[in-house]
């Protein structure tokens, strides 16, 4: 194991999956949020996040993936918005599942994602490198 100070899981996971967190035509910002607080789901203003042309990376979002998706769609993001679930990033058992916002909760269930994982939501999730370093699976 090598620990590199300053590299957050969002950056490492996206890089391994070939997903740029920002891209001139897709996202001018990145917001890192957590779906779970000490006492349960967080009180995030998902509608405000949905209105910005950005990438949203959700930590601790596996158990809340369906709720995160519903809240972002209620805030205005389209169900067809690309999304990715990156489980066990940089580990030998790493998996990346590409899906859409509307299918995010179903993808977590279908692939039995148990974490640790980050959810990458936004147009950049559809811009993965042509040759991915890890085989990607698509859901609906």
């Amino acid at each position: 194991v090598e620990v590199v100070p300053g590299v957050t899981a969002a950056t490492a996971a996206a890089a391994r999956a070939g997903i740029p967190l920002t891209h001139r035509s897709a996202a001018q910002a990145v917001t890192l949020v957590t779906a779970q607080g000490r006492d349960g789901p967080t009180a995030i203003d998902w509608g405000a996040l949905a209105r910005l042309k950005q990438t949203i990376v959700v930590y601790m979002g596996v158990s809340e993936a369906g709720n995160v998706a519903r809240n972002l769609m209620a805030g205005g993001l389209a169900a067809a918005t690309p999304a990715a679930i990156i489980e066990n990033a940089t580990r030998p058992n790493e998996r990346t599942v590409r899906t859409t916002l509307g299918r995010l909760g179903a993808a977590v269930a279908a692939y039995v994602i148990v974490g640790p994982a980050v959810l990458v939501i936004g147009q950049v999730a559809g811009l993965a490198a042509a040759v991915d370093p890890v085989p990607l699976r698509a859901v609906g």
Side-chain angles (χ1 to χ4, degrees):
V1 173
E2 179 181 351
V3 176
V4 180
V7 176
T8 181
T11 304
R16 286 282 298 175
I19 299 172
L21 289 177
T22 60
H23 189 280
R24 288 184 194 145
S25 66
Q28 288 76 47
V30 178
T31 297
L32 309 177
V33 299
T34 181
Q36 288 289 327
R38 181 180 297 184
D39 301 319
T42 56
I44 303 248
D45 185 348
W46 297 103
L49 295 179
R51 288 187 290 277
L52 301 174
K53 187 177 181 182
Q54 67 174 326
T55 302
I56 302 164
V57 180
V58 182
Y59 289 89
M60 295 182 279
V62 171
S63 66
E64 289 295 313
N67 290 329
V68 167
R70 279 188 290 283
N71 289 329
L72 288 171
M73 289 185 293
L77 273 183
T81 300
I85 306 157
I86 306 166
E87 180 183 37
N88 293 309
T90 74
R91 295 179 176 177
N93 58 340
E94 174 180 339
R95 290 193 299 169
T96 298
V97 176
R98 286 195 277 191
T99 187
T100 63
L101 186 59
R103 299 272 307 141
L104 189 61
V108 166
Y111 284 94
V112 193
I113 304 293
V114 294
V118 295
L119 313 176
V120 179
I121 301 164
Q123 295 304 315
V124 296
L127 299 176
V131 178
D132 294 307
V134 177
L136 300 177
R137 296 158 183 83
V139 173

